[in-house]
Amino acid sequence: THRATKKKKAGRGLEHPVFPSCNGCDIFLCLVGQSSFSLRSHTCGELCSSHVDEEVTLCGWIQYLRQDLFVILRDFSGLVQILIPQDEVANAFLGLTVESVIMVKGRVRCRPEGQENKKMSTGEIEVCAESMEVLNTCRKLPFEIKEFVKKSEALRMQYRYLDLRSPRMQYNLRLRSQMVMKMREYLCNLHRFVDVETPTLFKRTPGGAKEFVVPSGDPGKFYSLPQSPQQFKQLLMVAGIDRYFQLARCYRDEGSKPDRQPEFTQVDIEISFVDQAGVMSLIEGLVHYSWPEDKGQINVPFPSMTYEEAIRDYGVDKPDTRFGMKLVDVTTAFQESQIEFIKDALLKPSGCIQAICVPEGTVRTESGDSHSYVPTPQLNLQRSQCSLISKQINLFKQLFLMAQANRPLLGKLRLQCVELLESYGVPVRDPSVFHFLWVVDFPLFLPKEDNPEMLEAAHHPFTAPVPEDAHLLYTQPRKVRGQHYDLVLNGCEVGGGSIRIHNASQQLYVLDTILKEDPSLLSHLLEALDSGAPPHGGIALGLDRLVSIIVGAPSIRDIIAFPKSFRGHDLMSRAPDFVSEEDLKPYHISVVWPSADIEGQQDNSV
Amino acid sequence: THRATKKKKAGRGLEHPVFPSCNGCDIFLCLVGQSSFSLRSHTCGELCSSHVDEEVTLCGWIQYLRQDLFVILRDFSGLVQILIPQDEVANAFLGLTVESVIMVKGRVRCRPEGQENKKMSTGEIEVCAESMEVLNTCRKLPFEIKEFVKKSEALRMQYRYLDLRSPRMQYNLRLRSQMVMKMREYLCNLHRFVDVETPTLFKRTPGGAKEFVVPSGDPGKFYSLPQSPQQFKQLLMVAGIDRYFQLARCYRDEGSKPDRQPEFTQVDIEISFVDQAGVMSLIEGLVHYSWPEDKGQINVPFPSMTYEEAIRDYGVDKPDTRFGMKLVDVTTAFQESQIEFIKDALLKPSGCIQAICVPEGTVRTESGDSHSYVPTPQLNLQRSQCSLISKQINLFKQLFLMAQANRPLLGKLRLQCVELLESYGVPVRDPSVFHFLWVVDFPLFLPKEDNPEMLEAAHHPFTAPVPEDAHLLYTQPRKVRGQHYDLVLNGCEVGGGSIRIHNASQQLYVLDTILKEDPSLLSHLLEALDSGAPPHGGIALGLDRLVSIIVGAPSIRDIIAFPKSFRGHDLMSRAPDFVSEEDLKPYHISVVWPSADIEGQQDNSV
């Protein structure tokens, strides 16, 4: 066999098998850490003055080289300077290309006085090469690694394996991995949750228009890639698993919505014998425990706001509370107004006038009395005009008025104003600040957009009503609040969950009588609820979104190793791709080619 | 908001936010452990004599009840006896059904002397109920939980949420979760591996007949659900991730092969700057670290055997080394034989006679000299006849002879003999013993079954040759051994990996010249190898198989929460299912219905 033991530095003690070296001398394997089981003895970035005089073996990429003098060697941990001795070793370095992979053995020494590089974490030392081996030559490089960030998204995606070499992407992926590990420790080790994998080849949800289908070998029958393990997590509670979690891969076919991915990951959690306060505390602990050290402290418990308050004060159910500019009720000030559209608005049932006050910016504002009210007709505030108006903020420093029905529009305008202010250099939101917020007391049902006489579930049909509203289910379902809670971070929804209905007849009533859905499609769940289902609830955190906000990435693509483009394409491997008729036969499907003019629309744009 | 703090026992100290109770008294949340954030104060199974006189709140299922006297309450942790007081509390218990869910408050007390139950872990105590609330009534139960194990597989699958309540399934899923957590600690915390998620919507592999296809919104284009993240893990090494791992969901459409699942999980690992010995040591450490305490010690390093030795001694590349009965070369004994089929065999190039010796069983054998040789013609040993012959083991005790070409058949016969012996009550393999074994030095290429002139990759086309054989690639590729290693446990392959080719021109030569595959389909990988790919290698462990062997489960379905049936069906939700033509339209596919006679074959059997 090809088993051989290599020279390694002495390892730290650990609860772990010791692998003695075969030659029995004082050389040991590096038992733990970032260089265990490796050809290298150290990483480039860990070297410092305490390693001086040590013999080290380094493996890495050539970041920069001056053929006759030195090489800057890079691995994931950082950079180190390799001094090329002026003897036959120097020949090995001749003709080396940037990004080639080499192994260097040498001795660490202090840099000569005055030659230290304070900007480099290893800037006090250098490694004097004693031998060097070229492990692989870089023959092709579309762009220098350090320039990659500046290149087009499409190019970065096509050469993703080069893009990932950048310190930023290395940081993002490693931080994600560490956060996930901490989450698992918290859930599994501290709170005894059970990590259970649930299937991704599942049955199509009725009306699940966003679910990918997977043809099976049974003619006409398809699996579906689920949008979440919702049914399974509830069934696991019925199964007595008691506390479940999973980093669950979920799927949603949303075409080319901006910054969505066809597959994404959620931290999926469900717990039995719990109430809303319990789940919220659990999640606060989870976020606190897994929070990256270099991102400052966060305080728990998180503040909490009702859905009604959020809509009233921010015009949105996921308010960004890092700044004020709340929606203000100015109805009384306009009670006597003769302006036509304001009179109209106030005549409507529960008509009122809402406003936001946009300060010109604390830096430039010297007097505190700059509240001047500029009414703007509701009807003019169409989407396109909103931005037009907000561009004039610095001209008429302001206020926008709207009739009540348009609170969401005012909420959007509030965000646009801030972006505009910040683009003018007025700091409004501190990028190092993280505002978590719970939004609670959502309505359980909402009128359907296309048919307001009908109701649909605001969250999903398994959410339990708030206990004191439960009796209204049977009389005034529109007034029922759900035991639903959303976790909001800096104005983005990063999680949502609920206490679930555990009573079969209540669940049947909601599905059948209120939502008019065919309950037979969920007969297995209804049966399960009737066979001893414990009270239970849970939550799902959007991991991609959460991590992207924490690292300050502009897109979730920056915290996913191999993301798809806007159009759902993998630009590196060119997936999806054509499949032969022959290969489709076992699945009893064939392609329905659209007519030529539609086909013409296809392209390979990002 | 519905935030409320409930009575909880004092928590242990921890690095974790403290959630003070809102009423400021001496009551705290149970901060960590299996009852944190819960309505209960304790689990049923944890109570013992040290809890006597404590006030506890328990939540669980009614395992057994005698209406007027006591209830046996169950949760995941075990059983406890609840004493029903003879006052108005007793009324609440009237009419309760088995498997209903209740919450009991009461005080722990010692059972009266003589009434202890030694068989029950909580048998020294009982809880005297002070109040009881029915959380949910069980109205429907196809079978008693404790009887479930005895029921048909199909019924267990249909009511999987009940089947999972059994102690055995609870144990299996929890052990799996704990092992996975330990693996993550070892890889991520001890050895600084990075947990990276890779896409499951990928491009179809050329000739990937076992890959599920997923239609996309682009007409005629499909994603594919990959059989493993092989390409991604290698690209991550090129990307400088250095040490990658993932519990990766993999997909394989194998129809109804026994004990396979269309989706399964592998512990996927890749590391840069490593050699074969390094990967093997890493995995030994991983298995050792994550090994369940209650399964005894395992020793590392694991023994290692070449492919050639395995085939020679066991007739198979994954030998079960828990027992002997090795294949023995008895050619010399038959050199002069006049028996026709033996003469024929020996006349063939490198013809020889192999045998296994089947002892009647150590228990019943008193003399050590029971080697009697019964020759059996090679030609008779067709598959069906093998078992026929092996059923007669106890009649003529024994030896089977075969020509060399049939070593695999003799290897199978060896296993059949053992099963037969064990079915007769002769212990051969100790069920509590775990024999790990590395098999190494596999041939890199094998002749194609349907065209022996052509070669195919024995493992996959990315496996690097053994260094000293590398020059043979260009002259005698059939003689090249690969740097491939399989991990075998008790005769099952539980893992396989290799050092990969990191040189683009060598990879191109293997794909193009040796394997005659179209290299343009892997152009992204070839390009990546040319842009500074480090030497790297890795492994994938079959988690489902590994855990099922450890817990002694007869099928991998016993360690998967919601497995599919043999035919790939989810018998609970009835997936896969029909999808309307309308729902298929966005994917530009339609169903090709087979002719009526083929359709007739369909059924819903397991």
Short mmCIF file of all heavy atoms in Angstrom, two decimals, chain A residues 31 33 36 40 136 140 176 190-191 197 200 218 223 242-243 251 253 263 265 502 527 568-569 587, chain B residues 31 33 36 40 136 140 176 191 197 200 218 223 242-243 251 253 263 265 502 527 568-569 587:
data_model
loop_
_atom_site.label_atom_id
_atom_site.label_comp_id
_atom_site.label_asym_id
_atom_site.label_seq_id
_atom_site.Cartn_x
_atom_site.Cartn_y
_atom_site.Cartn_z
N LEU A 31 -1.49 16.98 14.43
CA LEU A 31 -2.71 16.22 14.71
C LEU A 31 -4.01 16.98 14.51
O LEU A 31 -5.02 16.39 14.17
CB LEU A 31 -2.65 15.68 16.14
CG LEU A 31 -1.70 14.50 16.30
CD1 LEU A 31 -1.58 14.13 17.74
CD2 LEU A 31 -2.17 13.31 15.49
N GLY A 33 -5.88 21.08 13.51
CA GLY A 33 -5.66 22.40 12.98
C GLY A 33 -5.63 22.43 11.48
O GLY A 33 -5.84 21.42 10.81
N SER A 36 -3.24 19.84 9.52
CA SER A 36 -3.20 18.41 9.82
C SER A 36 -3.32 17.61 8.53
O SER A 36 -3.99 18.02 7.60
CB SER A 36 -4.35 18.05 10.77
OG SER A 36 -5.59 18.44 10.22
N ARG A 40 2.00 20.43 3.99
CA ARG A 40 2.62 21.62 4.56
C ARG A 40 2.74 21.47 6.08
O ARG A 40 2.03 20.68 6.70
CB ARG A 40 1.78 22.86 4.23
CG ARG A 40 0.44 22.86 4.93
CD ARG A 40 -0.34 24.16 4.72
NE ARG A 40 -1.70 23.97 5.23
CZ ARG A 40 -2.81 24.04 4.49
NH1 ARG A 40 -2.73 24.32 3.20
NH2 ARG A 40 -3.98 23.84 5.04
N ASN A 136 2.04 22.61 -9.62
CA ASN A 136 1.23 22.76 -10.83
C ASN A 136 1.49 24.14 -11.42
O ASN A 136 1.62 25.12 -10.68
CB ASN A 136 -0.26 22.59 -10.51
CG ASN A 136 -1.04 22.03 -11.69
OD1 ASN A 136 -0.52 21.92 -12.80
ND2 ASN A 136 -2.28 21.66 -11.44
N LYS A 140 -3.21 29.30 -17.75
CA LYS A 140 -4.30 30.10 -18.31
C LYS A 140 -4.95 30.89 -17.20
O LYS A 140 -5.31 30.33 -16.16
CB LYS A 140 -5.33 29.16 -18.94
CG LYS A 140 -6.25 29.88 -19.89
CD LYS A 140 -7.39 29.01 -20.37
CE LYS A 140 -8.49 29.93 -20.88
NZ LYS A 140 -9.65 29.23 -21.34
N ARG A 176 -19.65 31.94 6.71
CA ARG A 176 -20.89 31.18 6.62
C ARG A 176 -20.74 29.81 7.27
O ARG A 176 -21.59 29.38 8.06
CB ARG A 176 -21.29 31.02 5.14
CG ARG A 176 -22.54 30.21 4.92
CD ARG A 176 -22.84 30.02 3.44
NE ARG A 176 -23.98 29.16 3.29
CZ ARG A 176 -25.02 29.39 2.50
NH1 ARG A 176 -25.06 30.47 1.77
NH2 ARG A 176 -26.04 28.55 2.45
N LEU A 190 -26.28 22.19 22.81
CA LEU A 190 -26.81 22.91 23.98
C LEU A 190 -28.28 22.60 24.23
O LEU A 190 -28.70 22.48 25.36
CB LEU A 190 -26.66 24.43 23.79
CG LEU A 190 -25.29 25.04 24.00
CD1 LEU A 190 -25.37 26.56 23.89
CD2 LEU A 190 -24.73 24.66 25.38
N HIS A 191 -29.08 22.51 23.16
CA HIS A 191 -30.52 22.38 23.36
C HIS A 191 -31.10 21.06 22.86
O HIS A 191 -32.31 20.91 22.78
CB HIS A 191 -31.24 23.58 22.74
CG HIS A 191 -30.90 24.86 23.43
ND1 HIS A 191 -31.38 25.18 24.66
CD2 HIS A 191 -30.07 25.87 23.08
CE1 HIS A 191 -30.88 26.35 25.05
NE2 HIS A 191 -30.08 26.79 24.12
N GLU A 197 -32.79 14.69 8.37
CA GLU A 197 -32.89 15.01 6.94
C GLU A 197 -34.25 14.58 6.41
O GLU A 197 -34.70 13.47 6.67
CB GLU A 197 -31.79 14.28 6.17
CG GLU A 197 -30.40 14.70 6.57
CD GLU A 197 -29.37 14.02 5.69
OE1 GLU A 197 -29.34 14.28 4.49
OE2 GLU A 197 -28.61 13.20 6.22
N THR A 200 -36.25 15.55 -0.48
CA THR A 200 -36.48 16.65 -1.42
C THR A 200 -37.23 16.16 -2.66
O THR A 200 -37.64 16.97 -3.47
CB THR A 200 -35.15 17.30 -1.85
OG1 THR A 200 -34.29 16.30 -2.37
CG2 THR A 200 -34.48 17.97 -0.66
N ASP A 218 -42.62 6.33 -13.41
CA ASP A 218 -44.03 6.00 -13.58
C ASP A 218 -44.65 6.99 -14.55
O ASP A 218 -44.64 8.19 -14.29
CB ASP A 218 -44.77 6.11 -12.24
CG ASP A 218 -44.34 5.04 -11.25
OD1 ASP A 218 -43.62 4.12 -11.66
OD2 ASP A 218 -44.73 5.14 -10.08
N TYR A 223 -42.29 13.77 -9.16
CA TYR A 223 -41.96 14.30 -7.84
C TYR A 223 -41.94 15.82 -7.96
O TYR A 223 -41.97 16.39 -9.04
CB TYR A 223 -40.55 13.87 -7.40
CG TYR A 223 -40.33 12.39 -7.26
CD1 TYR A 223 -39.60 11.69 -8.21
CD2 TYR A 223 -40.83 11.70 -6.16
CE1 TYR A 223 -39.36 10.33 -8.08
CE2 TYR A 223 -40.59 10.34 -6.02
CZ TYR A 223 -39.86 9.67 -6.98
OH TYR A 223 -39.63 8.33 -6.84
N ASP A 242 -39.72 15.69 18.90
CA ASP A 242 -39.69 16.67 19.99
C ASP A 242 -38.97 17.98 19.64
O ASP A 242 -39.50 19.06 19.88
CB ASP A 242 -39.03 16.03 21.23
CG ASP A 242 -39.39 16.72 22.51
OD1 ASP A 242 -40.48 16.47 23.02
OD2 ASP A 242 -38.60 17.56 22.99
N ARG A 243 -37.76 17.91 19.12
CA ARG A 243 -37.03 19.10 18.73
C ARG A 243 -36.23 18.74 17.48
O ARG A 243 -35.28 17.96 17.54
CB ARG A 243 -36.08 19.60 19.82
CG ARG A 243 -36.25 19.00 21.19
CD ARG A 243 -35.45 19.74 22.25
NE ARG A 243 -36.36 20.51 23.05
CZ ARG A 243 -36.02 21.55 23.80
NH1 ARG A 243 -34.77 21.93 23.84
NH2 ARG A 243 -36.91 22.20 24.50
N TYR A 251 -36.29 24.72 -2.72
CA TYR A 251 -36.30 25.00 -4.15
C TYR A 251 -37.49 25.89 -4.48
O TYR A 251 -38.59 25.69 -3.96
CB TYR A 251 -36.41 23.69 -4.93
CG TYR A 251 -35.25 22.76 -4.68
CD1 TYR A 251 -35.26 21.89 -3.59
CD2 TYR A 251 -34.13 22.78 -5.50
CE1 TYR A 251 -34.19 21.05 -3.33
CE2 TYR A 251 -33.06 21.94 -5.25
CZ TYR A 251 -33.08 21.08 -4.18
OH TYR A 251 -32.03 20.25 -3.91
N ASP A 253 -39.00 27.94 -8.07
CA ASP A 253 -38.80 28.36 -9.45
C ASP A 253 -39.45 29.72 -9.63
O ASP A 253 -40.65 29.81 -9.86
CB ASP A 253 -39.42 27.32 -10.40
CG ASP A 253 -39.15 27.68 -11.85
OD1 ASP A 253 -38.31 28.57 -12.08
OD2 ASP A 253 -39.78 27.07 -12.73
N GLU A 263 -32.32 27.40 -5.84
CA GLU A 263 -32.16 26.58 -4.63
C GLU A 263 -31.52 27.45 -3.56
O GLU A 263 -30.64 28.26 -3.85
CB GLU A 263 -31.36 25.30 -4.88
CG GLU A 263 -30.07 25.44 -5.61
CD GLU A 263 -29.42 24.08 -5.94
OE1 GLU A 263 -29.44 23.17 -5.10
OE2 GLU A 263 -28.89 23.97 -7.06
N THR A 265 -31.05 27.84 1.09
CA THR A 265 -30.93 27.05 2.32
C THR A 265 -31.64 27.73 3.46
O THR A 265 -31.49 28.93 3.66
CB THR A 265 -29.44 26.86 2.66
OG1 THR A 265 -28.81 26.23 1.56
CG2 THR A 265 -29.27 25.99 3.90
N HIS A 502 -52.59 22.19 15.90
CA HIS A 502 -52.35 20.77 16.18
C HIS A 502 -53.65 20.00 16.33
O HIS A 502 -53.63 18.81 16.61
CB HIS A 502 -51.46 20.61 17.42
CG HIS A 502 -52.06 21.10 18.69
ND1 HIS A 502 -51.90 22.40 19.13
CD2 HIS A 502 -52.83 20.48 19.62
CE1 HIS A 502 -52.54 22.55 20.29
NE2 HIS A 502 -53.11 21.40 20.60
N GLU A 527 -54.78 13.20 9.17
CA GLU A 527 -54.77 11.93 9.91
C GLU A 527 -53.74 11.97 11.02
O GLU A 527 -53.97 11.52 12.14
CB GLU A 527 -54.41 10.77 8.96
CG GLU A 527 -55.58 10.12 8.30
CD GLU A 527 -55.12 8.83 7.61
OE1 GLU A 527 -54.40 8.93 6.59
OE2 GLU A 527 -55.48 7.74 8.09
N GLY A 568 -31.21 31.86 -13.80
CA GLY A 568 -31.17 30.49 -13.31
C GLY A 568 -30.14 29.63 -14.01
O GLY A 568 -30.23 28.40 -14.00
N HIS A 569 -29.16 30.27 -14.64
CA HIS A 569 -28.14 29.50 -15.36
C HIS A 569 -26.87 29.37 -14.54
O HIS A 569 -26.51 30.27 -13.79
CB HIS A 569 -27.78 30.21 -16.68
CG HIS A 569 -28.92 30.23 -17.64
ND1 HIS A 569 -28.91 30.95 -18.81
CD2 HIS A 569 -30.13 29.62 -17.61
CE1 HIS A 569 -30.05 30.79 -19.45
NE2 HIS A 569 -30.81 29.99 -18.75
N TYR A 587 -38.44 8.57 -18.67
CA TYR A 587 -39.30 9.41 -17.84
C TYR A 587 -40.63 9.74 -18.52
O TYR A 587 -41.43 10.52 -17.99
CB TYR A 587 -38.55 10.69 -17.45
CG TYR A 587 -37.32 10.36 -16.66
CD1 TYR A 587 -36.05 10.55 -17.18
CD2 TYR A 587 -37.43 9.79 -15.40
CE1 TYR A 587 -34.91 10.21 -16.46
CE2 TYR A 587 -36.31 9.43 -14.68
CZ TYR A 587 -35.06 9.64 -15.21
OH TYR A 587 -33.95 9.28 -14.50
N LEU B 31 -32.31 27.11 30.81
CA LEU B 31 -31.55 27.76 29.74
C LEU B 31 -30.98 26.82 28.69
O LEU B 31 -30.84 27.20 27.55
CB LEU B 31 -30.43 28.58 30.36
CG LEU B 31 -30.92 29.88 31.00
CD1 LEU B 31 -29.79 30.55 31.72
CD2 LEU B 31 -31.51 30.80 29.95
N GLY B 33 -30.39 22.43 27.44
CA GLY B 33 -30.81 21.05 27.64
C GLY B 33 -32.11 20.73 26.96
O GLY B 33 -32.71 21.55 26.28
N SER B 36 -35.30 23.11 27.51
CA SER B 36 -35.24 24.57 27.40
C SER B 36 -36.37 25.08 26.51
O SER B 36 -36.79 24.39 25.58
CB SER B 36 -33.89 24.97 26.80
OG SER B 36 -33.67 24.34 25.56
N ARG B 40 -42.62 22.01 29.45
CA ARG B 40 -42.30 21.04 30.49
C ARG B 40 -41.08 21.52 31.30
O ARG B 40 -40.28 22.33 30.82
CB ARG B 40 -41.99 19.67 29.87
CG ARG B 40 -40.72 19.66 29.05
CD ARG B 40 -40.35 18.26 28.55
NE ARG B 40 -39.25 18.38 27.61
CZ ARG B 40 -39.32 18.04 26.33
NH1 ARG B 40 -40.43 17.54 25.82
NH2 ARG B 40 -38.27 18.21 25.53
N ASN B 136 -53.99 17.15 23.38
CA ASN B 136 -54.58 16.67 22.13
C ASN B 136 -55.06 15.24 22.35
O ASN B 136 -54.40 14.45 23.02
CB ASN B 136 -53.57 16.72 20.98
CG ASN B 136 -54.23 16.92 19.62
OD1 ASN B 136 -55.46 16.86 19.51
ND2 ASN B 136 -53.42 17.16 18.60
N LYS B 140 -57.45 8.39 16.31
CA LYS B 140 -57.28 7.37 15.28
C LYS B 140 -55.92 6.75 15.41
O LYS B 140 -54.91 7.46 15.48
CB LYS B 140 -57.40 8.04 13.90
CG LYS B 140 -57.66 7.03 12.81
CD LYS B 140 -57.58 7.64 11.44
CE LYS B 140 -57.34 6.53 10.44
NZ LYS B 140 -57.24 6.99 9.08
N ARG B 176 -27.96 8.86 14.62
CA ARG B 176 -27.48 9.44 13.36
C ARG B 176 -27.16 10.92 13.52
O ARG B 176 -26.11 11.41 13.10
CB ARG B 176 -28.56 9.25 12.28
CG ARG B 176 -28.19 9.84 10.95
CD ARG B 176 -29.33 9.71 9.93
NE ARG B 176 -28.96 10.38 8.71
CZ ARG B 176 -29.09 9.86 7.49
NH1 ARG B 176 -29.61 8.67 7.34
NH2 ARG B 176 -28.70 10.54 6.43
N HIS B 191 -10.23 20.26 12.62
CA HIS B 191 -9.33 20.26 11.46
C HIS B 191 -9.61 21.38 10.47
O HIS B 191 -9.09 21.35 9.35
CB HIS B 191 -9.35 18.89 10.78
CG HIS B 191 -8.78 17.81 11.67
ND1 HIS B 191 -7.44 17.70 11.92
CD2 HIS B 191 -9.38 16.85 12.42
CE1 HIS B 191 -7.22 16.70 12.76
NE2 HIS B 191 -8.39 16.17 13.08
N GLU B 197 -21.85 24.46 0.74
CA GLU B 197 -22.97 23.84 0.04
C GLU B 197 -22.78 23.98 -1.47
O GLU B 197 -22.46 25.06 -1.95
CB GLU B 197 -24.26 24.53 0.45
CG GLU B 197 -24.60 24.34 1.91
CD GLU B 197 -25.94 24.95 2.22
OE1 GLU B 197 -26.95 24.45 1.70
OE2 GLU B 197 -25.98 25.93 2.96
N THR B 200 -27.51 21.45 -6.30
CA THR B 200 -28.08 20.16 -6.72
C THR B 200 -28.81 20.30 -8.06
O THR B 200 -29.20 19.29 -8.63
CB THR B 200 -29.05 19.59 -5.67
OG1 THR B 200 -30.06 20.55 -5.40
CG2 THR B 200 -28.32 19.25 -4.38
N ASP B 218 -36.37 27.11 -19.81
CA ASP B 218 -35.84 27.24 -21.17
C ASP B 218 -36.23 26.00 -21.96
O ASP B 218 -35.86 24.88 -21.59
CB ASP B 218 -34.29 27.31 -21.15
CG ASP B 218 -33.78 28.59 -20.51
OD1 ASP B 218 -34.61 29.48 -20.26
OD2 ASP B 218 -32.57 28.68 -20.25
N TYR B 223 -32.05 20.74 -15.98
CA TYR B 223 -31.04 20.53 -14.96
C TYR B 223 -30.97 19.03 -14.70
O TYR B 223 -31.83 18.25 -15.14
CB TYR B 223 -31.42 21.21 -13.63
CG TYR B 223 -31.59 22.69 -13.68
CD1 TYR B 223 -32.86 23.27 -13.63
CD2 TYR B 223 -30.49 23.54 -13.72
CE1 TYR B 223 -33.02 24.64 -13.64
CE2 TYR B 223 -30.64 24.91 -13.72
CZ TYR B 223 -31.91 25.46 -13.68
OH TYR B 223 -32.07 26.81 -13.68
N ASP B 242 -9.20 24.78 0.11
CA ASP B 242 -8.17 24.06 0.87
C ASP B 242 -8.67 22.80 1.57
O ASP B 242 -8.10 21.74 1.45
CB ASP B 242 -7.53 25.00 1.90
CG ASP B 242 -6.15 24.54 2.32
OD1 ASP B 242 -5.21 24.82 1.57
OD2 ASP B 242 -6.03 23.90 3.38
N ARG B 243 -9.76 22.93 2.33
CA ARG B 243 -10.31 21.76 3.01
C ARG B 243 -11.83 21.94 3.03
O ARG B 243 -12.35 22.82 3.70
CB ARG B 243 -9.80 21.59 4.44
CG ARG B 243 -8.65 22.47 4.86
CD ARG B 243 -8.05 22.03 6.18
NE ARG B 243 -6.82 21.32 5.93
CZ ARG B 243 -6.24 20.49 6.79
NH1 ARG B 243 -6.79 20.26 7.97
NH2 ARG B 243 -5.12 19.90 6.47
N TYR B 251 -28.36 12.07 -5.57
CA TYR B 251 -29.53 11.50 -6.22
C TYR B 251 -29.11 10.43 -7.21
O TYR B 251 -28.13 10.60 -7.93
CB TYR B 251 -30.29 12.61 -6.96
CG TYR B 251 -30.77 13.71 -6.03
CD1 TYR B 251 -29.95 14.77 -5.69
CD2 TYR B 251 -32.05 13.66 -5.48
CE1 TYR B 251 -30.37 15.76 -4.82
CE2 TYR B 251 -32.49 14.65 -4.61
CZ TYR B 251 -31.64 15.70 -4.28
OH TYR B 251 -32.07 16.67 -3.43
N ASP B 253 -31.17 7.55 -9.80
CA ASP B 253 -32.40 6.89 -10.22
C ASP B 253 -32.06 5.46 -10.60
O ASP B 253 -31.64 5.19 -11.71
CB ASP B 253 -33.00 7.64 -11.41
CG ASP B 253 -34.33 7.03 -11.81
OD1 ASP B 253 -34.87 6.21 -11.03
OD2 ASP B 253 -34.82 7.35 -12.90
N GLU B 263 -32.74 9.31 -3.15
CA GLU B 263 -31.87 10.36 -2.60
C GLU B 263 -31.19 9.80 -1.37
O GLU B 263 -31.78 9.06 -0.60
CB GLU B 263 -32.63 11.66 -2.30
CG GLU B 263 -33.91 11.52 -1.52
CD GLU B 263 -34.68 12.83 -1.40
OE1 GLU B 263 -34.07 13.89 -1.21
OE2 GLU B 263 -35.92 12.78 -1.49
N THR B 265 -27.41 10.40 1.35
CA THR B 265 -26.52 11.44 1.88
C THR B 265 -25.10 10.91 1.96
O THR B 265 -24.89 9.80 2.44
CB THR B 265 -26.99 11.85 3.28
OG1 THR B 265 -28.33 12.32 3.17
CG2 THR B 265 -26.13 12.97 3.85
N HIS B 502 -4.46 16.37 -11.01
CA HIS B 502 -4.50 17.83 -10.97
C HIS B 502 -3.79 18.46 -12.16
O HIS B 502 -3.71 19.67 -12.26
CB HIS B 502 -3.92 18.36 -9.65
CG HIS B 502 -2.47 18.05 -9.44
ND1 HIS B 502 -2.04 16.90 -8.82
CD2 HIS B 502 -1.35 18.74 -9.77
CE1 HIS B 502 -0.71 16.90 -8.78
NE2 HIS B 502 -0.28 18.00 -9.34
N GLU B 527 -10.10 23.49 -17.94
CA GLU B 527 -9.63 24.87 -17.83
C GLU B 527 -9.21 25.18 -16.41
O GLU B 527 -8.20 25.84 -16.16
CB GLU B 527 -10.74 25.84 -18.22
CG GLU B 527 -10.79 26.21 -19.67
CD GLU B 527 -11.74 27.39 -19.90
OE1 GLU B 527 -12.97 27.20 -19.75
OE2 GLU B 527 -11.25 28.49 -20.20
N GLY B 568 -39.55 3.49 -5.15
CA GLY B 568 -39.32 4.93 -5.16
C GLY B 568 -40.55 5.74 -4.79
O GLY B 568 -40.64 6.92 -5.10
N HIS B 569 -41.51 5.11 -4.13
CA HIS B 569 -42.74 5.82 -3.76
C HIS B 569 -42.70 6.26 -2.30
O HIS B 569 -42.14 5.57 -1.45
CB HIS B 569 -43.96 4.91 -3.96
CG HIS B 569 -44.20 4.57 -5.38
ND1 HIS B 569 -45.10 3.61 -5.79
CD2 HIS B 569 -43.64 5.05 -6.52
CE1 HIS B 569 -45.08 3.52 -7.10
NE2 HIS B 569 -44.21 4.37 -7.57
N TYR B 587 -42.73 24.36 -18.32
CA TYR B 587 -41.48 23.62 -18.50
C TYR B 587 -41.35 23.02 -19.90
O TYR B 587 -40.42 22.28 -20.18
CB TYR B 587 -41.37 22.54 -17.42
CG TYR B 587 -41.38 23.15 -16.04
CD1 TYR B 587 -42.45 22.99 -15.18
CD2 TYR B 587 -40.32 23.95 -15.63
CE1 TYR B 587 -42.47 23.59 -13.94
CE2 TYR B 587 -40.33 24.57 -14.40
CZ TYR B 587 -41.40 24.38 -13.55
OH TYR B 587 -41.41 24.99 -12.34
#
